[in-house]
Amino acid sequence: MINSGCTVLQRYLQQLIPMAARGLLHTKNSLLYNMNCCWLIRFSAEITLRPVSSRHFCLKTESADTESSQENGILVNNLACMGVDVKMARRRQPGVLKKLITNEEGLKRFLQSKGATNEVIASIISRYPRAITRSYESLEKRWELWRSILMTDLEIVNILGRSPESFFRSSNNINMEKNITFFCSLGLTSKHLCNMLTRAPRAFSNRVELNKQMTDLLHEICLSLSGENPNDFVKHIISKNVFILLRSRKQVRANIEFLQSSFHLSNEELLALLHGSGADILDLSNEYIKKNFINAKEKLLSLGCAEREVDRFFISYPRVLFLSSKNLSDKIDCLLQAKIHIKQIVETSRVLDVSIGTVRCKVKELEKISYDFKTYGIGILTLSKKRFEAKLEKLRSAW
């Protein structure tokens, strides 16, 4: 009779104890059955009556043993109360919602102490739920490393708001320290590192060996082009376009070879291009570059440009390869409609950086004063809004 009562009581307790308690009682099932019934009653009462806010966090947050086969209801409710988009979190990293031990409250307090708002914190967790598995010690150490490069906590908060993965993707702080040391060994300054961390923080999460492989490739390419200072070449390319550290060596090599063969460049000319704006496009997909190059060339040739003019256009403005075929075609057509000659567009390629809407507004204002693009050029279209308005005022006064 006593055994039967204990069995019923044990089944009742199994239903009563929440997932949080199961995380703390993650031991062999046989231990439960050998426990004294009275002790079990006292223990379960402590757990079930304890408020959610006092849940134990971060005992071993990154252990696979703390994951259940189903979602942790208390965790899900806690995240919802924090304003987290649970549906988004579930879609992005469903395994996190099954963890029995997490650190969402600790993460919230930590980020609040750095100046993050509740809205920003909720957004960070929604987009990168794994952030709640990081311990306080790991967060503090990683923040310390980022602050060794960036000037203020707010700068880090802004990066996290934009790209939470960059900070929380890895908890390997030793690897980040090694990357900082490695980048400094290349001659990159604190200003360079700050720019790199702001633009492409994931580069600091790469294995050091992977980053070194890319710099070795750049060193090799410089020597193959008869460059005199490969160390400066590597430093320049990395500081100019840190995103290549997120690409494969095969892709970067293919892009450099494409530039030389398509633009008919000598080794010296290619080096000069890479030292200039050519470095900006090295991280693009090779197929994307080829497609945009072919379509842009066809467009320019169809408008009467000679082959050599087209080559000079790409050399002076390789960033045109960022533009999709449709975007480039629409911009050129917009300028042509304003009675601007294609040769002027090719010679003042920076005008293609201006949006179509801005070009139309400026052209409309210039038409009011009978501005002649053929006589005075199209450089005025590339001016900032403030400088354009000042120039426009001078022209109105003079005319």
Side-chain angles (χ1 to χ4, degrees), residues 20 22 27 37 52 93 118 128 186 190 201 208 210 233 264 303 305 333 335 371 399:
R22 285 191 299 160
T27 57
C37 292
V52 172
Q93 293 169 350
N118 290 337
Y128 201 77
L186 298 176
S190 297
V208 178
L210 195 62
F233 178 78
H264 310 104
L303 293 170
C305 293
D333 290 343
L335 293 166
Y371 185 90
W399 295 352

Side-chain angles (χ1 to χ4, degrees), residues 14 17-27 68 70-72 100:
Q14 287 174 348
I17 298 175
M19 290 182 184
R22 285 191 299 160
L24 297 173
L25 294 176
H26 189 67
T27 57
S68 172
Q70 56 186 344
E71 286 189 356
N72 182 341
L100 304 180

Side-chain angles (χ1 to χ4, degrees), residues 327-358:
N327 193 4
L328 175 63
S329 182
D330 289 346
K331 284 189 173 184
I332 291 177
D333 290 343
C334 175
L335 293 166
L336 294 176
Q337 290 169 7
K339 299 179 181 178
I340 297 172
H341 197 277
I342 186 59
K343 291 190 183 298
Q344 290 179 290
I345 299 174
V346 171
E347 291 169 0
T348 313
S349 50
R350 286 178 302 136
V351 73
L352 295 173
D353 286 332
V354 186
S355 70
I356 293 176
T358 300

Side-chain angles (χ1 to χ4, degrees), residues 361-379:
C361 288
K362 289 181 176 180
V363 167
K364 186 176 181 180
E365 291 299 317
L366 292 170
E367 285 178 343
K368 294 177 181 178
I369 59 173
S370 302
Y371 185 90
D372 186 356
F373 290 112
K374 186 176 181 180
T375 303
Y376 302 105
I378 65 173

